[in-house]
Amino acid sequence: MARIYSNYTEEEIKLLQQESEKMGLSLSAYQKYRTLLSLTDSNTIDITDLIAKMKATLSSKKKGDVFIVSTLIPEEWTTLTRSEKNTLSKTLKKIIDKNPTLYKINDVLPGKINQYIVLGGSYDK
């Protein structure tokens, strides 16, 4: 695998860090994502759109519903890279952790996949 090194001003790195944190990506993963997005605009999935869709599906779940991350965006899941899947999984975990009255881990499935359950309450994005 080849590596590319970049130099940024302090202001540029702050902007990059803010945006990467919003998306739940490391700085290097964000840089790669944005670079590839600009090169392959028509073939690249916008991770922010996927996160928004995942959140919308999650907020429509009813008390007692059981789900895993892939069921929140089933059509897109099979086309995602491992990195994109990890980003979505980590984003979901942050949502679950911020909303302990609404969601909790129901089970850990084979492959260390967290299965969640909706408890009820109000959703805090």
Side-chain angles (χ1 to χ4, degrees):
M1 181 180 290
R3 293 187 182 270
I4 298 174
Y5 295 93
S6 303
N7 295 314
Y8 298 98
T9 66
E10 287 296 318
E11 292 158 1
E12 292 169 333
I13 202 74
K14 285 179 185 174
L15 288 172
L16 286 169
Q17 287 173 328
Q18 289 172 354
E19 292 304 308
S20 68
E21 288 172 7
K22 285 181 191 175
M23 294 179 68
L25 296 172
S26 69
L27 196 51
S28 62
Y30 178 76
Q31 179 183 3
K32 179 180 176 182
Y33 166 74
R34 293 302 298 185
T35 301
L36 293 176
L37 182 63
S38 70
L39 295 174
T40 59
D41 227 355
S42 61
N43 296 331
T44 304
I45 297 171
D46 188 343
I47 198 77
T48 55
D49 289 344
L50 287 177
I51 290 170
K53 185 174 182 179
M54 180 180 73
K55 287 179 176 180
T57 305
L58 181 61
S59 66
S60 70
K61 296 286 183 191
K62 306 285 186 244
K63 184 176 181 175
D65 285 351
V66 174
F67 61 94
I68 60 175
V69 65
S70 62
T71 62
L72 298 175
I73 48 167
E75 293 173 14
E76 297 87 348
W77 190 258
T78 58
T79 65
L80 300 176
T81 66
R82 181 178 176 152
S83 176
E84 290 165 332
K85 289 177 180 180
N86 283 338
T87 298
L88 292 168
S89 296
K90 288 177 184 176
T91 301
L92 178 60
K93 181 162 180 8
K94 286 179 186 177
I95 293 169
I96 301 299
D97 290 345
K98 283 179 69 176
N99 294 280
T101 61
L102 187 53
Y103 310 105
K104 75 171 188 173
I105 292 176
N106 187 56
D107 197 4
V108 179
L109 304 176
K112 297 183 181 178
I113 299 168
N114 286 338
Q115 180 188 67
Y116 302 101
I117 188 167
V118 179
L119 302 173
S122 60
Y123 176 59
D124 178 21
K125 298 176 185 180

